[in-house]
């Protein structure tokens, strides 16, 4: 689950995760705090991205407030700090439990549902027939799709760079 919030006036992405199963399917690189803290994440605790901790001087045990889209103030304690991958992090700057997220954010919806299964892809698709916007991708397909999105952005940048070279040649 994902939604925008505000920390000290700046917009941040807040993710609601299942603390018991997240590390089974997603590898978190820890800055500070222990991996075990995720499984015991309490309703008033959050794990934050290293850049957020660095920007505001937050540390494990420190408190901060997230303002939700409805204007409510969610008081949180930093339980850990994680360092996301350099490109394409799936998680926001603030991670809270799914229960906490659903309680504080008005329209919870899943951004991604990661599943490890021995079932064939076709069978998984059939089980999701009542959810028309759900898609089933293997890990390889998911990685290829995300890489393709980055390639599209790079192609637009290359086109703009080419256009600037053409404009500079004609002196406009």
């Amino acid at each position: 689950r994902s939604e925008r919030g505000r920390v000290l006036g700046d917009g941040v992405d807040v993710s609601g995760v299942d603390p018991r199963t997240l590390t089974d399917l997603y590898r978190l690189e820890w800055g500070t705090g222990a991996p075990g803290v995720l499984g015991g994440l309490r309703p008033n605790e959050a794990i934050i991205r290293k850049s957020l901790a660095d920007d505001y001087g937050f540390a494990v045990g420190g408190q901060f407030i997230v303002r939700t889209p409805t204007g409510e103030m969610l008081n949180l304690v930093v339980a850990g700090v994680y360092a996301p991958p350099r490109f394409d992090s799936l998680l926001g700057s603030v991670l809270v439990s799914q229960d906490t997220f659903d309680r504080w954010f008005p329209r919870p919806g899943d951004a991604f549902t990661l599943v490890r299964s021995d079932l064939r892809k076709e069978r998984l698709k059939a089980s999701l027939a009542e959810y028309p916007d759900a898609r089933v991708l293997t890990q390889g397909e998911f990685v290829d799709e995300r890489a393709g999105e980055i390639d599209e952005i790079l192609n637009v940048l290359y086109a703009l760079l080419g256009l600037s070279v053409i404009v500079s040649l004609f002196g406009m």
Side-chain angles (χ1 to χ4, degrees):
R1 301 181 189 274
S2 183
E3 180 64 88
R4 296 287 289 171
R6 296 187 91 53
V7 172
L8 295 174
D10 293 327
V12 296
D13 290 319
V14 180
S15 296
V17 300
D18 183 344
R20 296 174 313 250
T21 62
L22 178 65
T23 55
D24 292 343
L25 299 165
Y26 189 88
R27 187 179 68 225
L28 280 175
E29 297 293 331
W30 291 93
T32 54
V37 75
L38 185 61
L41 201 61
R42 294 189 204 123
N44 68 329
E45 292 181 328
I47 295 172
I48 62 172
R49 188 178 285 184
K50 185 177 182 327
S51 59
L52 184 69
D54 292 344
D55 290 348
Y56 296 105
F58 296 154
V60 172
Q63 296 182 349
F64 69 104
I65 297 172
V66 174
R67 182 185 293 265
T68 69
T70 60
E72 293 183 85
M73 306 289 209
L74 172 56
N75 295 298
L76 294 168
V77 175
V78 178
V81 177
Y82 82 100
R86 183 165 286 172
F87 297 107
D88 197 29
S89 176
L90 301 178
L91 300 174
S93 296
V94 178
L95 307 181
V96 295
S97 72
Q98 186 173 326
D99 291 338
T100 298
F101 186 91
D102 291 351
R103 189 174 314 115
W104 286 89
F105 290 87
R107 295 180 310 272
D110 293 329
F112 299 100
T113 301
L114 305 176
V115 177
R116 177 173 289 149
S117 175
D118 293 330
L119 295 176
R120 296 178 51 91
K121 183 177 175 179
E122 294 76 26
R123 185 140 181 225
L124 285 172
K125 277 185 180 180
S127 68
L128 294 172
E130 63 186 77
Y131 304 100
D133 60 340
R135 296 183 315 137
V136 177
L137 300 173
T138 64
Q139 182 178 2
E141 291 168 340
F142 181 77
V143 169
D144 289 345
E145 182 177 286
R146 298 296 283 197
E149 292 171 5
I150 293 172
D151 287 345
E152 287 179 24
I153 293 169
L154 287 175
N155 288 337
V156 169
L157 291 175
Y158 290 143
L160 291 172
L161 180 61
L163 185 60
S164 69
V165 169
I166 291 170
V167 168
S168 68
L169 287 176
F170 290 110
M172 297 183 157

